[in-house]
Amino acid sequence: MRYPIVAGNWKMNLGRVEEALAFVRHIRYRLNEIEGVERVLCPPFTVLAAVAQVLRPTRIGLGAQTMHWQDQGAYTGEISPAMLAGLCRYVILGHSERRTGRVAFPDQGPEASVESDAAVNRKVHAALAHDLSPIICVGENLAQNEGGQTHQFVGGQVRAALAGLTAKQAERCVIAYEPMWAIGTGKAATPVDANRVIGLTIRGAIADIFGEITAQAVRVQYGGSVNVENIAAFMAMPEVDGALVGGASLKPEFVELVRRVALVR
Ligand code: PGA
C-alpha cells in the first residue's frame, strides 16, 4: 500500500513573510487534522524558514522548489542541499518550468533546455545524500503528446533521473507526472490517461531498472491543473498516489482538495 502524498507548489507566489504566514496560519490546523494523506507545502526560499517555524507543531511537511547539487561554491543565486537539510524534508526537482526555457529564456519559447536530465540526476543523488526526499517532475509537451512520443520521452526522463540509485534510494523518491500542456492551463489530463502513463510508462521504467517490487513501492503523483473538482477522479485511479498542485495550492480550498484525497483512499 502506497501512502498518498499531496504537495502544494507555490512557485513564485506568497513569497513575502507576512503573506505566507497569514496563509499558512489560516490553513494549518484544518490541514493538520486530515488523516491518511501526507501533505507538503513548497513555498519560495524567502519564506521557507518562517514557514518551517509555523509548521513545527504540525505533521505538515515542507519542501523546497529546486536546489543545486553542490554543497557550496561559486553558484550565484543557487541554494544547496546542505542549506536545505534540516529545514525541510522534500525538494521538487526537474519541474518543467525549470527544465525548459520558461524561466531562463522567456522570449525563446519553451523548447530551450535549461535543466537537463543529467542535472536532475545529480540533484536527485545530492538530495538523497542529505536525507531530502526528491519530488521528481517528468512529463511530455503538447507536440510529443500529439506525436505519440509520451511513452518514450517520459520513460527516458524517469530512467535518467533515477540512474545510479539503489532500489532503496529509489523508493524514497516521489515522481510527479506532469504533462506540460496541462500545467497552469486549466486543461488537466484525463484520469485514465494519467493512470496509463503512470502505470505503464513510469512504473514500467522503474521496473526495468530496479524490478517490480520497487516499481510498486514508488509513489507517483499526477500534476497539471488539479483542483477541488477533479482530484477525486484522479485519486480513484489505482496508479495515482496523490497530486502536485500549483494554482489550487495558493487558496484555502487546498485543505478541501487534500481532504478529498483522504476520502477516496
Ligand atoms: P498547476 O501547476 O496545478 O497550476 O497546473 C502544477 C505544477 O506545475 O506543479
Side-chain angles (χ1 to χ4, degrees), residues 3 5-8 10 23-42 51 54-55 57-62 245 248-262:
Y3 199 71
I5 176 168
V6 178
W10 292 9
F23 178 63
V24 174
R25 288 197 176 109
H26 183 63
I27 63 169
R28 66 175 167 171
Y29 291 116
R30 286 176 297 139
L31 195 55
N32 191 46
E33 279 169 3
I34 302 167
E35 301 284 346
V37 50
E38 199 170 339
R39 49 261 186 260
V40 180
L41 303 181
C42 301
V51 172
V54 171
L55 291 184
T58 74
R59 293 166 296 150
I60 302 165
L62 187 65
V245 185
S249 74
L250 299 170
K251 298 172 224 146
E253 70 178 35
F254 184 61
V255 176
E256 181 56 28
L257 192 157
V258 174
R259 190 172 290 128
R260 290 187 187 191
V261 170

Side-chain angles (χ1 to χ4, degrees), residues 7-9 11 92 95-97 137 176 178-179 182-187 222-227 243-250:
N9 175 10
K11 308 191 180 182
I92 298 170
H95 192 283
S96 64
E97 287 158 8
C137 302
E178 299 206 308
I183 294 175
T185 59
K187 210 175 152 277
Y222 168 76
S225 296
V226 170
N227 57 40
L244 183 55
V245 185
S249 74
L250 299 170

Side-chain angles (χ1 to χ4, degrees), residues 67-234:
M67 61 168 214
H68 201 273
W69 61 85
Q70 296 280 8
D71 277 357
Q72 60 192 43
Y75 301 98
T76 302
E78 293 290 336
I79 300 287
S80 80
M83 297 175 193
L84 295 179
L87 194 57
C88 58
R89 267 205 55 204
Y90 290 91
V91 58
I92 298 170
L93 297 177
H95 192 283
S96 64
E97 287 158 8
R98 303 192 57 84
R99 286 183 187 262
T100 69
R102 189 174 156 79
V103 171
F105 305 111
D107 300 324
Q108 286 184 22
E111 300 310 321
S113 180
V114 178
E115 193 156 308
S116 65
D117 275 343
V120 172
N121 178 245
R122 286 190 188 190
K123 293 179 181 200
V124 169
H125 280 268
L128 291 165
H130 284 273
D131 219 19
L132 295 159
S133 291
I135 299 174
I136 305 164
C137 302
V138 298
E140 80 287 358
N141 65 25
L142 187 61
Q144 290 163 330
N145 181 277
E146 290 175 344
Q149 292 151 9
T150 298
H151 182 72
Q152 196 190 350
F153 183 74
V154 173
Q157 285 183 315
V158 172
R159 275 178 245 273
L162 302 181
L165 298 184
T166 65
K168 220 170 157 210
Q169 286 177 313
E171 285 179 19
R172 285 204 47 203
C173 298
V174 175
I175 295 182
Y177 170 54
E178 299 206 308
M180 281 185 232
W181 46 270
I183 294 175
T185 59
K187 210 175 152 277
T190 68
V192 168
D193 283 347
N195 191 63
R196 193 188 60 244
V197 174
I198 291 173
L200 289 180
T201 303
I202 296 178
R203 292 200 201 283
I206 300 169
D208 286 347
I209 315 174
F210 303 103
E212 194 56 39
I213 291 173
T214 306
Q216 291 305 321
V218 173
R219 294 182 293 176
V220 187
Q221 302 169 314
Y222 168 76
S225 296
V226 170
N227 57 40
V228 173
E229 275 73 45
N230 63 20
I231 184 65
F234 283 105

